Amino acid sequence: MAYVIHPRESRPFSFLHPAMGGAQTHPTVTAFLQLDTEQIIIRYCNEHKDVQPEALWNVLTYKPKHFRWAGADLFPGVTAAGRHEMVVLEVNSCPSGQKYMPHGQGMDSSYHKLMDETFRDTISSKCDPSLINKPLAVVQDKNPIENNGYASALADITKEPVYVVETYLNRPKEQNIRWTDGVLEVRDVEGQWHAIRAAFRYVTQKPWTRIPLTTKTVVFNPIACCLSGGRNKLVAAMAYEAFNKQQEGTGLRVRIPRTFMRVTKAQIPTVVQALHGKAVIKIPYSNCGQGVYTVTSQKELDKLMALDLGYEKFIVQSLIGHKNWSSSQWHHACTIPDEEGREYVFDTRMMVYYENRL
């Protein structure tokens, strides 16, 4: 059932993970977030002499029509020559991470920035006139900390009550949402249905099973973002190749591991062998670490082949691993060794959103 979060003039706003405690943003990150577009380009091109500033300007000032909020998971890689480079693992059309990002007080949080600078602009430019007086909603299937943060920020900014509703892939009988002529409707605790003019979507598990491709209600992000690469790893891999081809000669490119596309299940062992027995196998529709299988031995490969993976074709990539056995052109940079000499693998989540100004 949908519950309502009401606006407040002020609230103790801290929708952070309990593990964050009193964490603060690193000064380097703080300084970076204060740079404008031109300053970012100057700094980047000073460090990367082969990059054309005009090309970078065109990329950073591009106005997306649909995909206005995204995340990417990056590995810090090291080449055989010792050069440190960031490598894209996957992109995400409903990225998590706000609960791990320290923020200011009140309206200065990252939740408020996304709701005010991107979501509200999307509503004003795309809202159907027939729904202009209908309420707003946050639709979710996981991550309640962040979604309550987004709903609270949205209520505070718009001065409107916001419905928060859950919808799950494997619970069809729990019908908390429905669609009527392209309009999203949510059911409240009293069983009453309410038409929604715009919805912030944090539905991650096969969202196209519950949200149509075309809607009257503004959906942020729309399902097209998932199908065109946000959750479709095959299309994403094709998009990386297309971008790199388009940017030839500019110094810009998306770094990804060596990738084999449209691999049938029967072909997986052959491709893994071509990658020296160490590879990553991904189902085409998933993210957040789901549907991703690491193979470093024959035993792990046999275990994978025995599974019912639910798809006919897959993406297989080289494995960015230890410097002594990585099957990629990079090995993982790892953390600084601790007191016992242990190093740990990690990735970096980068979240970006579009705002209608430079």
Side-chain angles (χ1 to χ4, degrees), residues 112-229:
H112 287 86
K113 286 183 172 65
L114 179 62
M115 292 293 98
D116 188 28
E117 298 172 2
T118 304
F119 183 67
R120 189 158 67 164
D121 176 68
T122 302
I123 296 172
S124 62
S125 62
K126 296 189 175 186
C127 185
D128 190 290
S130 66
L131 301 174
I132 198 69
N133 294 320
K134 302 301 182 181
L136 302 168
V138 171
V139 185
Q140 61 164 320
D141 65 357
K142 61 181 292 188
N143 206 346
I145 293 178
E146 293 191 18
N147 284 301
N148 279 305
Y150 286 127
S152 298
L154 183 57
D156 293 347
I157 289 168
T158 61
K159 308 300 182 185
E160 298 179 39
V162 174
Y163 286 95
V164 180
V165 61
E166 299 173 346
T167 176
Y168 296 101
L169 177 63
N170 297 319
R171 302 183 195 174
K173 293 183 179 180
E174 297 181 11
Q175 189 180 14
N176 297 324
I177 69 170
R178 69 184 184 189
W179 295 88
T180 303
D181 296 328
V183 177
L184 171 64
E185 297 177 342
V186 302
R187 186 170 60 169
D188 64 21
V189 293
E190 297 178 350
Q192 300 297 312
W193 290 95
H194 303 270
I196 300 298
R197 78 174 187 274
F200 179 84
R201 174 181 69 88
Y202 197 96
V203 181
T204 62
Q205 303 300 308
K206 296 183 179 179
W208 46 86
T209 63
R210 284 150 290 165
I211 301 173
L213 183 61
T214 304
T215 64
K216 282 187 178 180
T217 296
V218 177
V219 178
F220 179 91
N221 282 314
I223 296 300
C225 299
C226 298
L227 299 176
S228 62

Side-chain angles (χ1 to χ4, degrees), residues 96-121:
S96 64
Q98 294 285 19
K99 61 180 176 287
Y100 298 111
M101 181 68 180
H103 53 68
Q105 299 298 316
M107 296 288 194
D108 193 38
S109 77
S110 298
Y111 293 97
H112 287 86
K113 286 183 172 65
L114 179 62
M115 292 293 98
D116 188 28
E117 298 172 2
T118 304
F119 183 67
R120 189 158 67 164
D121 176 68

Side-chain angles (χ1 to χ4, degrees), residues 34 46 49 63 73 99 112 125 142 159 180 213 238 294 330 335 356:
Q34 292 174 346
N46 283 340
K49 304 295 185 182
K63 181 178 180 179
D73 293 328
K99 61 180 176 287
H112 287 86
S125 62
K142 61 181 292 188
K159 308 300 182 185
T180 303
L213 183 61
M238 296 169 63
T294 301
W330 301 276
T335 61
N356 196 21

Side-chain angles (χ1 to χ4, degrees), residues 6-21:
H6 294 277
R8 297 183 183 178
E9 290 298 326
S10 63
R11 71 174 84 223
F13 199 93
S14 183
F15 290 90
L16 296 176
H17 192 279
M20 293 299 291

